[in-house]
Amino acid sequence: QSVLTQPPSASGTPGQRVTMSCSGSSSNIGGNAVNWYQQVPGKAPKLLIYTNDKRPLEVPDRFSASKSDTSASLAISGLQSEDEADYYCATWDDSLNGHVFGTGTKVTVL
Amino acid sequence: ELQLVESGGGAVQPGGSLRLSCVGSGFAFDDHAMHWVRQTPEKGLEWVSGINYDDASRGYADFAQGRFTISRDNARNALYLQLNSLRPEDSAIYFCAKDFSRGWVFWYFDLWGRGTPVTVSS
């Protein structure tokens, strides 16, 4: 029922690059900034990327993101075991007049 | 240390009520908008409600409108969510989240609590 669609899973071996997408529409991603959250199972979500492509100081530069039209993507370079988590995109939706989250992508480190 | 700590969750029967609380520390609580976000395995993360730094404006998701009420007490660094007319589908972990800005619209959540579970069942 989420308005933002993400692939349910992604995986890679240590050191590999993993990417995931977030697809929306003109009322959300198309007109607003995208943010990404990381959630390790059993823990609280953590801000990973804000305003499309900016990293909080404590987030490693292995994480990068971009936005184009009504889609966004997150990449993890040099995958590490501690990157195993769920990743959610989020943005504002002008039609719903509220914040919306993606369906989430579970990243597995093989 | 920057921290948000939720409390007040529990088990309640359909139609019942609960009041969730969240206390913030380590930052200027009265200078930031605050939110409630819930999570279930079926629906993932869902924004529930947000409130401006000065309580001048509040917003709700459609499913929360008319049943849930967000409020804050800046003197106590506290955020609240009154849950009324609860339904089984309201069962979730409820997170408190700090907004980057003073307003509850547009921006992002830069600090989250660990959540408090709510179970609605007969």
Side-chain angles (χ1 to χ4, degrees), chain A residues 1 32-33 35 37 39 42-47 50-51 88 92 94 96-102, chain B residues 35 37 39 43-47 60 62 95 99 104-115:
Chain A
Q1 293 185 357
N32 297 291
N35 311 298
Y37 300 91
Q39 186 179 30
K43 298 279 185 74
K46 168 191 165 185
L47 178 66
Y50 64 96
T51 316
Y88 296 90
W92 177 262
D94 296 323
L96 297 175
N97 201 36
H99 296 271
V100 292
F101 289 90
Chain B
H35 301 265
V37 177
Q39 184 173 35
K43 293 188 176 182
L45 292 169
E46 288 185 297
W47 176 76
Y60 298 92
D62 287 345
F95 294 100
D99 199 293
W104 62 270
V105 301
F106 298 132
W107 294 102
Y108 51 88
F109 316 132
D110 60 2
L111 179 68
W112 297 63
R114 301 192 69 169

Side-chain angles (χ1 to χ4, degrees), chain B residues 3 6 10 22 36 38 41-42 53 55 65 97 103 110 114 118:
Chain B
Q3 197 173 11
E6 302 95 335
C22 168
W36 288 99
R38 70 184 187 182
E42 300 77 26
Y53 76 106
D55 199 8
Q65 192 77 44
D110 60 2
R114 301 192 69 169
V118 171

